[in-house]
Amino acid sequence: MALTISQAGSATSTTSSSTLVVTPSVSFSQNDGVLVCIAADNSGTLGAISISSVSDSQSNTYTLHRSVKTQGGSINNLASAAIYLCAVTNAISTSDSITVNFSPNTPAKAVVIYRIVCASGKKPSVANSGSSSPVSAATSSSRSTVTISANDAVFMVAGIETNESVTTDTDTLRGSWSSAYSATADTGTLATSMQVVTQYKTVTSSGTQAWDLSWATSTDYCAAYATITEVAALSTVTKTATGSGTGTATAATKVTQLRLGIHTDFSFGFTNGAGPYRDWE
């Protein structure tokens, strides 16, 4: 069964603070996935990434799978991005909250979240991930490829220091890209704004993929990706004992999945004339 994916909420802020809170637009059941895609200023020491963690009001666990920033630069002068995934244990409703945490306080920041639904008895897991950290400003990104398995989904995330419109990908190689899901922390000035841009594709057959973006004014950016697959979820089995009396006992049963032959080859480039670039890692 292919994954069922839907947009589930977004939030932005241009005020320097330690949190960014999203109110989900849909509910999440046990074993659903919450994919959190973040872009933010690089507010850490010496311009490091300041995205520190994700949490929610139902005490679920969020795992960081990739974070990246533009190379070089000074504090709040570049873009950073991160991808977190939660396989839901405690159901999340539209009255709950999902919080992105920053350390230290960070000015421009944006987040979008997705809901990922798997087949019965399955939950989502990250099969592989990668990132690209450009060395200079650019007006486009191109030549990205990843080898993934049929029915898995690849999510692409870019953090771009811009308040302009970004043109996203429309190719139909082994599946079609989703519509773009973006959010912009707009300060009114390109250089201090921050936009998170995301797309995903559920792959119809195993092979490589490419993701191309473009925008008008040369600016700093970075990008990350994660491929999502289904794995077996923990299940509870009820058994009845007989003898002099009756009772019930529960046992947690976990079925493991063996996946063979997974290979990832992800490279990412960008252009601005001469266009230096660095491959995905």
Side-chain angles (χ1 to χ4, degrees), residues 68-72 78-79 131-145 158-160 211-215 217-224 266-281:
V68 63
K69 77 174 188 72
T70 318
Q71 295 184 58
L78 300 173
S131 58
S132 173
S133 52
V135 297
S136 69
T139 58
S140 66
S141 65
S142 62
R143 302 184 311 171
S144 54
T145 62
I160 309 174
W211 192 48
D212 299 310
L213 304 178
S214 63
W215 50 92
T217 304
S218 182
T219 191
D220 293 314
Y221 84 105
C222 60
F266 204 116
S267 62
F268 188 95
F270 47 90
T271 59
N272 62 343
Y277 71 94
R278 178 176 175 178
D279 284 343
W280 291 81
E281 302 177 331

Side-chain angles (χ1 to χ4, degrees), residues 7-19:
Q7 299 175 0
S10 65
T12 65
S13 175
T14 58
T15 301
S16 185
S17 63
S18 62
T19 59

Side-chain angles (χ1 to χ4, degrees), residues 48-125:
I49 297 170
S50 55
I51 304 164
S52 61
S53 65
V54 178
S55 57
D56 67 36
S57 52
Q58 290 295 333
S59 300
N60 287 292
T61 299
Y62 292 76
T63 300
L64 172 66
H65 288 282
R66 184 63 60 163
S67 62
V68 63
K69 77 174 188 72
T70 318
Q71 295 184 58
S74 55
I75 294 175
N76 296 331
N77 192 42
L78 300 173
S80 68
I83 302 173
Y84 286 78
L85 177 66
C86 166
V88 173
T89 301
N90 304 311
I92 302 170
S93 74
T94 54
S95 61
D96 287 314
S97 60
I98 297 170
T99 302
V100 182
N101 301 293
F102 300 85
S103 180
N105 288 1
T106 300
K109 46 197 178 288
V111 59
V112 300
I113 61 174
Y114 287 91
R115 181 190 183 201
I116 303 172
V117 180
C118 300
S120 177
K122 303 284 189 177
K123 66 180 181 179
S125 178

Side-chain angles (χ1 to χ4, degrees), residues 107-262:
K109 46 197 178 288
V111 59
V112 300
I113 61 174
Y114 287 91
R115 181 190 183 201
I116 303 172
V117 180
C118 300
S120 177
K122 303 284 189 177
K123 66 180 181 179
S125 178
V126 171
N128 44 63
S129 63
S131 58
S132 173
S133 52
V135 297
S136 69
T139 58
S140 66
S141 65
S142 62
R143 302 184 311 171
S144 54
T145 62
V146 59
T147 301
I148 61 175
S149 302
N151 296 321
D152 287 355
V154 56
F155 283 84
M156 303 288 199
V157 181
I160 309 174
E161 202 170 56
T162 188
N163 56 3
E164 296 178 344
S165 175
V166 175
T167 301
T168 53
D169 209 325
T170 58
D171 83 67
T172 57
L173 177 66
R174 302 185 185 92
S176 299
W177 288 108
S178 68
S179 59
Y181 192 24
S182 305
T184 305
D186 190 350
T187 65
T189 302
L190 181 143
T192 56
S193 296
M194 186 60 58
Q195 186 171 166
V196 59
V197 181
T198 69
Q199 282 186 284
Y200 69 87
K201 180 186 286 191
T202 300
V203 175
T204 56
S205 61
S206 180
T208 61
Q209 289 295 326
W211 192 48
D212 299 310
L213 304 178
S214 63
W215 50 92
T217 304
S218 182
T219 191
D220 293 314
Y221 84 105
C222 60
Y225 79 92
T227 61
I228 307 296
T229 190
E230 292 181 322
V231 298
L234 290 174
S235 60
T236 301
V237 179
T238 301
K239 298 182 179 180
T240 302
T242 60
S244 59
T246 61
T248 60
T250 61
T253 302
K254 184 174 182 181
V255 180
T256 59
Q257 181 185 57
L258 179 64
R259 299 190 55 148
L260 300 177
I262 296 176

